[in-house]
Amino acid sequence: MKPHEFRPPEQELARFRGRLAVAVGVVLLAFVVIAGRFFYLQVVRHDYYHTRAEDNRITLLPIVPNRGLIADRNGRSFARNFSAYTLEITPSRVRDVEETIDAVSQLIEIQPRDRKRFRKLLDESKNFESLPIRTRLSDEEVAKFVAQRYRFPGVDVKARLFRQYPEEQLASHVVGYIGRINTKELESIEESEDQANYRGTEHIGKTGLEQSYERELHGETGYEQVEVDAGGRALRLLSRTAPVPGNNLFLTLDGKLQAVAERAFGTRRGALVAIEPSTGGILAMVSSPTFDPNLFVDGIDPQNWDLLNNSPDHPLINRALNGAYPPGSTFKPFMALGALFSGKRTADQAIADPGYFDFGGHRFRDDKAGGHGTVDMVKSIVVSCDTYYYRLANDWGIDGIASFMAQLGFGSRTGVDLGGESTGILPSPEWKRKRFKKPEQQKWYAGETVSIGIGQGYNAYTPIQLAHATAVVANNGVVFKPHLVRYIEDVKTGEKRIVEPQPVRRIPFRPEHLDTVRRGMIGVNQSGTGARAFAGAGYVSAGKTGTAQLFSLKGGTYREGSVGERLRDHALFIAFAPADEPKIALAVLVENGGFGATSAAPIARQVLDYYLLGKLPAGAAAEDEDASDAQ
Amino acid sequence: MLNENLIGLVRRVLAPIDFPLLWILGALLGYAFVVQLSASNDAPARINSHILNLCVALAVMWLIANVSPTRLLNLAVPLYVVGVLLLVATALFGDISKGARRWLSLGMLRVQPSEIMKIAMPMMLAWYFHQREEALRVRDYLVAGVLLIIPVALIVRQPDLGTAILVIAAGFYVIFFAGLPWKFILGMVAAAAAAAPFAWSMLHDYQRQRILTLIDPEADPLGKGFHIIQSTIAVGSGGIFGKGWLNGTQAHLEFLPERHTDFVLAVLSEEFGLLGISVLIVLYALLIGRGLLIASSASTMFSRLLAGSITLTFFTYAFVNMGMVTGILPVVGVPLPFVSYGGTALVTLSLGVGILMSVQRGRQFVQT
């Protein structure tokens, strides 16, 4: 570098202007780069960013549809919705759940029961859900909390529709209940691709009709398209797709008849199914004891759950569908009908009953020592002659019995519109082969056929199968599928979808065959084992008592009360009436009730009296008035 | 009589004004005001204070335009010395806010001394080169470099990267226009590249984070990347014609952070689209063009260097802010000149425009 550089102003100025030109070039270049970047973002990638901006801005909020109602054939409500406030906590937005509950409980009463239930819900749920700590707040409580809401972030009062079962215990096994969706149900919803429809839905049918008609009752979820800000707050409604409310169910069930039947059981365990023979519509379905389904709606508290689940009476089990019992002597009319139908017997063919039947070195005894004398088919039903049926079964053979009984629906699910139905056991050599593993157990012994004839042995049927078979006989062999829903009402269109009674099949019984069996069953209620229970009834009914042995007496004499209550025999009764043109067919089971004649038949009498004559048993009149007031 | 007095007054008031510059500035401020009305839609009070800021800024511009370049020359050294002293005082006694020590309390007044440097720095360097005009030596560039480094080092330490960049730029432009040999410039570029790893280790964590975020904003979409992601969405979703005034969803649904200050450009892009951006770029180009024209015809070395540097500072503001909003430069706190809300920046920028007018007027005096 030169130590002294002299530059004249002109040269200096020219150099400066040169630099300015460079600067202009740099500025223009930079602006071109920036403009290019804008062009890239705003033109080339516009669609992408447009979508992202829309995604930012719009959120879909589900609107849960109102669940369909359930009412009996007279329109009496068994499941409905009501709106109420709940106090809910969103665990993810709360620092310490227990601390928050303590703080809230200063303001609003929270029982230890509520805390326990909340903890249970918390274990079962995902963190971002809001969970109810208290339900059904009073207006006063709502006002109290709202005034102090700012103190409790993550705690909100929400208005919700609640499911209510106004009849409480009545028909609770039929109606069932809803409960919060659990993880397993969530998975099955995801699998069935109903996920979109269950966004926002918190409850699902767990048992009974609530479960089996879940699709009808749920409805279609609606959506609100909402514009939200960066904080997720909804600012503006863009569009709304209204939810479609769930369909209402109207049942074949008669609530009053159901109440009569349930009262007739009292505290006894058992089941009753009453069917309208001409349609298959179920008029009453009892499983005793019952429970209050309202306990389950918001998650049952552990104390009540223990009480119900661990009770030796198992109130949560629907005995009418799920319990399988030996039919005992109620099996005899079906045996008789089969014998006529298959030509194994004629009605007049009589036997001389010595009071026992010897087969293969084993003596099968009748209950009446010394026997019933000369017994034809009608008499065999009326007096419930075991010897007649031991011999019949032996002559007919197990294969013939099994294939005939299968036609009446024994040993297979009736297909009633409720879940949890058992198949029962229709014994046959084939069944035995499948049931047992050891070859010696798989063999069918001819002696086993003999006790099948009187409804003992491996025989085990559900009360609904028994009622169903009775209805088939009452309906002259025309088989209808038992069902509880009479029609489904579309709330939006008002359209009623009637569940048309479609005969499943017709068993070609001859009228005289049916007449023989009917005469026998009428005889039961007039002069036989059912005569005491049906004395003075204002209609002609056909019935058959049954007693299912649980306890082998090994030759001893069975005396009621001498064995433990739970080891006593099950009492059964089947009936239909009026005998010539049946309007109702039923099966009654009383667990450990002893003789069918003394414990099961009187229940049937009360049900038939009410259904056919409108006659209430003594002491029930007052309650019935209450019920009609409530409507 | 009265009429003549009035005309005389108006003449006197308008005398220092450079009208081309005023028109361009007026268009820019008017456009910015429309954008600001939308960006501050949620806070009407802010519009009032923005109007007040505009009035103060225009008054400052007029006042400085009335100051002759000669007096500016005399003010350069004292202003620089005071600025450096204030920066030292800030480093020692400044108030800490948001982890940075940028503000100094002087009794009633709170000042940000680094802001003064944006003007004091080019004035000081232009003064220096003006003194050495007759016999410029290599040493002079080194002296200028030292004069530049001292305050910049103090500002970087605060830390305030945005302001430091603007002060370095202002100073560098003076040295560049003074004729810094090209081989020096190339040497500096090479040195800067070599020193980059070392500089990286000198950066604060949050500064490093900003650079990393620029490279991959989606790595932390809710945290550090949120600003960039949301502002590019706003820009991109604007398209060619924009969503219309007040219709920007990103802006009005609060997805855009700092939407009335550093990210106001995103609001403009979203609502007025590429068309609106083009208008803005053209206005900036005109402003810079006029500024460089004034510099080119300035009468003294001092006024020429000062005008050139100040004009290019406007460009630096605009470029850095636009680059940041569109995601090609890291997020540094540089406002969009004449558009972003904020009194300090607006006054400093108007002061710069006032200096340009003063320079333009000084030329006329010399010529006549």
Side-chain angles (χ1 to χ4, degrees):
Chain A
M1 285 283 154
K2 291 167 226 164
H4 289 280
E5 192 180 4
F6 177 76
R7 282 175 295 185
E10 279 72 29
Q11 199 187 336
E12 174 60 41
L13 195 63
R15 180 199 185 84
F16 176 74
R17 288 187 174 154
R19 290 280 161 119
L20 272 183
V22 170
V24 168
V26 170
V27 167
L28 287 179
L29 183 70
F31 278 158
V32 166
V33 167
I34 288 287
R37 175 67 178 171
F38 273 104
F39 182 83
Y40 172 75
L41 291 176
Q42 299 193 295
V43 179
V44 179
R45 306 221 55 199
H46 171 67
D47 288 345
Y48 168 74
Y49 286 113
H50 176 75
T51 312
R52 291 212 40 189
E54 290 297 290
D55 286 350
N56 262 349
R57 155 177 108 89
I58 293 168
T59 293
L60 284 181
L61 295 179
I63 315 168
V64 180
N66 289 355
R67 197 171 172 87
L69 311 177
I70 301 176
D72 79 346
R73 67 190 300 138
N74 303 312
R76 177 170 172 180
S77 175
F78 276 78
R80 64 185 178 201
N81 307 313
F82 74 98
S83 176
Y85 291 101
T86 53
L87 192 66
E88 304 197 355
I89 298 178
T90 311
S92 60
R93 287 174 51 207
V94 166
R95 217 175 320 116
D96 184 328
V97 173
E98 290 300 322
E99 221 170 74
T100 306
I101 297 176
D102 287 341
V104 171
S105 68
Q106 307 281 313
L107 216 60
I108 284 169
E109 194 190 341
I110 290 166
Q111 303 265 344
R113 194 158 48 93
D114 295 321
R115 282 174 189 260
K116 276 187 205 152
R117 196 190 52 191
F118 184 82
R119 242 168 269 143
K120 193 160 161 248
L121 287 176
L122 195 60
D123 290 343
E124 292 165 354
S125 73
K126 295 152 271 124
N127 234 20
F128 49 83
E129 281 183 314
S130 79
L131 303 169
I133 173 77
R134 253 294 306 277
T135 55
R136 295 166 205 202
L137 299 183
S138 68
D139 288 349
E140 199 185 327
E141 286 174 318
V142 171
K144 232 194 230 171
F145 178 79
V146 169
Q148 306 257 337
R149 175 154 38 198
Y150 66 92
R151 283 175 50 201
F152 307 105
V155 187
D156 282 308
V157 168
K158 290 195 178 163
R160 283 179 186 266
L161 277 183
F162 281 89
R163 196 64 159 171
Q164 191 194 25
Y165 303 103
E167 297 296 343
E168 298 177 352
Q169 316 243 334
L170 191 63
S172 54
H173 292 99
V174 172
V175 176
Y177 53 82
I178 60 167
R180 297 181 73 87
I181 297 173
N182 63 31
T183 333
K184 218 174 119 195
E185 284 153 349
L186 202 65
E187 277 167 22
S188 79
I189 288 168
E190 278 164 16
E191 272 168 34
S192 68
E193 291 174 6
D194 256 355
Q195 217 169 343
N197 204 30
Y198 276 83
R199 261 193 72 188
T201 301
E202 290 178 331
H203 292 85
I204 194 166
K206 300 270 184 181
T207 64
L209 293 168
E210 291 275 31
Q211 182 196 36
S212 59
Y213 283 90
E214 171 66 26
R215 276 171 176 278
E216 295 284 351
L217 292 166
H218 181 272
E220 282 166 41
T221 298
Y223 290 94
E224 267 177 355
Q225 251 199 342
V226 182
E227 190 172 80
V228 293
D229 66 11
R233 284 177 298 262
L235 300 178
R236 193 154 61 99
L237 182 65
L238 299 175
S239 76
R240 186 187 146 99
T241 310
V244 179
N247 297 331
N248 295 338
L249 302 183
F250 285 85
L251 308 185
T252 57
L253 194 95
D254 182 329
K256 287 186 180 179
L257 185 70
Q258 177 83 17
V260 167
E262 287 190 14
R263 274 183 65 93
F265 273 91
T267 57
R268 287 176 292 180
R269 296 180 308 281
L272 175 147
V273 178
I275 296 176
E276 187 175 57
S278 59
T279 61
I282 292 172
L283 299 169
M285 182 187 278
V286 178
S287 175
S288 179
T290 65
F291 60 91
D292 182 355
N294 291 302
L295 292 172
F296 289 87
V297 175
D298 298 303
I300 189 164
D301 60 275
Q303 198 183 339
N304 272 320
W305 171 248
D306 280 352
L307 221 56
L308 288 172
N309 197 40
N310 299 332
S311 161
D313 290 345
H314 301 299
L316 295 177
I317 289 172
N318 186 354
R319 290 171 159 79
L321 296 183
N322 206 16
Y325 306 86
S329 300
T330 59
F331 203 49
K332 288 171 183 167
F334 306 111
M335 284 294 292
L337 188 61
L340 295 168
F341 184 63
S342 62
K344 287 290 166 195
R345 289 283 189 278
T346 64
D348 303 331
Q349 240 174 322
I351 62 157
D353 173 20
Y356 56 84
F357 174 68
D358 281 332
F359 182 81
H362 181 84
R363 176 159 290 187
F364 293 85
R365 292 179 186 282
D366 198 300
D367 342 318
K368 192 174 175 187
H372 297 280
T374 305
V375 180
D376 66 359
M377 187 174 276
V378 171
K379 187 177 174 188
S380 77
I381 295 172
V382 176
V383 302
S384 199
C385 173
D386 288 346
T387 312
Y388 185 93
Y389 289 96
Y390 290 141
R391 190 174 285 178
L392 170 60
N394 190 44
D395 292 352
W396 194 1
I398 188 62
D399 294 327
I401 296 171
S403 77
F404 175 75
M405 293 302 167
Q407 287 193 67
L408 286 173
F410 287 113
S412 55
R413 293 185 183 93
T414 61
V416 68
D417 44 357
L418 280 182
E421 198 182 358
S422 296
T423 56
I425 297 166
L426 175 61
S428 69
E430 195 197 342
W431 164 81
K432 212 177 169 195
R433 260 201 311 282
K434 284 184 189 154
R435 169 70 180 75
F436 295 104
K437 282 187 189 124
K438 290 182 188 163
E440 66 269 26
Q441 286 177 323
Q442 286 179 328
K443 190 179 182 311
W444 183 270
Y445 297 97
E448 290 173 330
T449 310
V450 177
S451 45
I452 295 294
I454 60 159
Q456 303 291 349
Y458 296 116
N459 274 317
Y461 306 116
T462 61
I464 193 172
Q465 282 173 354
L466 213 50
H468 174 57
T470 309
V472 171
V473 173
N475 202 33
N476 303 321
V478 181
V479 182
F480 284 102
K481 194 202 268 185
H483 58 270
L484 277 156
V485 174
R486 195 156 135 248
Y487 62 86
I488 297 166
E489 183 188 41
D490 187 319
V491 178
K492 214 174 166 190
T493 61
E495 178 204 343
K496 291 174 179 173
R497 239 183 309 138
I498 291 169
V499 179
E500 291 288 351
Q502 289 283 341
V504 176
R505 62 183 176 271
R506 174 183 292 271
I507 310 171
F509 295 124
R510 293 258 232 9
E512 59 268 31
H513 296 160
L514 290 160
D515 190 54
T516 305
V517 173
R518 188 169 295 161
R519 273 192 289 132
M521 289 177 74
I522 291 169
V524 169
N525 284 2
Q526 282 177 347
S527 57
T529 47
R532 189 136 55 100
F534 280 86
Y539 48 88
V540 178
S541 61
K544 182 73 196 80
T545 56
T547 304
Q549 282 168 19
L550 290 184
F551 186 66
S552 169
L553 289 164
K554 300 210 167 117
T557 320
Y558 177 84
R559 216 177 296 118
E560 213 173 312
S562 69
V563 287
E565 201 263 343
R566 301 227 169 228
L567 297 172
R568 259 197 257 159
D569 294 342
H570 293 327
L572 291 112
F573 192 74
I574 60 169
F576 57 86
D580 53 344
E581 205 178 314
K583 288 187 178 146
I584 179 169
L586 55 77
V588 182
L589 166 102
V590 182
E591 278 184 18
N592 314 113
F595 289 115
T598 50
S599 59
I603 292 174
R605 170 76 192 267
Q606 288 186 26
V607 170
L608 295 182
D609 275 3
Y610 177 76
Y611 192 68
L612 298 173
L613 308 175
K615 209 164 96 185
L616 284 164
E623 189 225 40
D624 185 58
E625 266 165 34
D626 287 349
S628 46
D629 285 350
Q631 280 179 42
Chain B
M1 269 301 264
L2 190 78
N3 214 13
E4 269 176 34
N5 276 350
L6 195 70
I7 291 168
L9 183 71
V10 170
R11 273 221 182 105
R12 210 135 22 97
V13 168
L14 295 182
I17 302 292
D18 177 56
F19 282 96
L21 207 51
L22 187 70
W23 295 138
I24 296 165
L25 186 66
L28 196 54
L29 291 175
Y31 187 29
F33 188 72
V34 171
V35 175
Q36 199 57 249
L37 278 178
S38 176
S40 296
N41 188 241
D42 57 324
R46 199 186 294 137
I47 294 298
N48 293 338
S49 69
H50 186 62
I51 292 171
L52 189 71
N53 288 345
L54 285 174
C55 294
V56 170
L58 289 174
V60 165
M61 180 193 80
W62 182 79
L63 280 174
I64 299 298
N66 275 300
V67 177
S68 72
T70 319
R71 187 162 305 161
L72 288 176
L73 184 69
N74 296 333
L75 273 172
V77 179
L79 195 65
Y80 178 80
V81 171
V82 168
V84 171
L85 289 177
L86 286 176
L87 278 176
V88 171
T90 308
L92 297 176
F93 320 110
D95 303 337
I96 297 180
S97 105
K98 292 180 190 170
R101 200 187 283 270
R102 296 175 186 170
W103 294 85
L104 187 66
S105 292
L106 297 173
M108 296 287 286
L109 211 64
R110 273 180 94 231
V111 294
Q112 209 178 338
S114 55
E115 200 64 31
I116 297 171
M117 269 301 153
K118 287 180 184 170
I119 297 295
M121 176 58 73
M123 279 172 72
M124 178 66 200
L125 293 183
W127 172 86
Y128 181 76
F129 286 113
H130 185 79
Q131 301 308 314
R132 316 286 300 170
E133 187 180 4
E134 301 300 318
L136 213 58
R137 292 195 231 170
V138 174
R139 202 190 63 191
D140 295 319
Y141 296 116
L142 292 176
V143 171
V146 172
L147 287 173
L148 176 59
I149 288 300
I150 294 166
V152 165
L154 288 166
I155 296 168
V156 168
R157 266 187 54 89
Q158 289 181 345
D160 187 348
L161 208 58
T163 306
I165 286 170
L166 290 169
V167 172
I168 291 176
F172 172 77
Y173 295 144
V174 174
I175 302 174
F176 171 76
F177 283 131
L180 182 66
W182 284 107
K183 55 186 173 188
F184 274 43
I185 297 173
L186 293 175
M188 275 161 64
V189 170
F198 177 69
W200 177 255
S201 68
M202 292 281 284
L203 288 175
H204 283 255
D205 272 348
Y206 85 97
Q207 292 165 333
R208 271 184 232 170
Q209 193 61 51
R210 282 180 181 178
I211 293 169
L212 288 177
T213 303
L214 179 75
I215 296 163
D216 183 15
E218 303 283 348
D220 186 9
L222 293 177
K224 304 286 187 295
F226 188 78
H227 279 46
I228 292 180
I229 292 171
Q230 295 303 336
S231 89
T232 44
I233 290 174
V235 171
S237 66
I240 296 175
F241 301 105
K243 296 175 186 172
W245 189 59
L246 289 178
N247 288 334
T249 56
Q250 287 287 103
H252 294 290
L253 301 176
E254 293 174 18
F255 288 99
L256 270 184
E258 308 282 344
R259 66 179 185 279
H260 56 279
T261 54
D262 289 357
F263 282 85
V264 72
L265 181 64
V267 178
L268 190 154
S269 316
E270 189 185 18
E271 299 193 344
F272 300 124
L274 190 58
L275 224 60
I277 288 295
S278 308
V279 170
L280 186 74
I281 291 178
V282 167
L283 285 173
Y284 280 137
L286 289 174
L287 182 75
I288 291 161
R290 180 65 192 165
L292 293 181
L293 207 62
I294 289 172
S296 134
S297 55
S299 55
T300 65
M301 177 101 170
F302 173 74
S303 54
R304 174 186 316 150
L305 292 181
L306 185 58
S309 165
I310 285 173
T311 306
L312 284 194
T313 308
F314 295 165
F315 158 74
T316 309
Y317 270 97
F319 179 73
V320 172
N321 184 274
M322 287 173 153
M324 159 181 116
V325 168
T326 54
I328 53 174
L329 290 178
V331 176
V332 287
V334 173
L336 189 64
F338 305 106
V339 183
S340 286
Y341 171 81
T344 314
L346 202 56
V347 167
T348 308
L349 287 161
S350 305
L351 217 142
V353 177
I355 290 173
L356 290 182
M357 288 185 177
S358 157
V359 169
Q360 176 68 352
R361 200 182 180 207
R363 180 191 65 109
Q364 287 163 354
F365 281 134
V366 171
Q367 279 176 345
T368 48

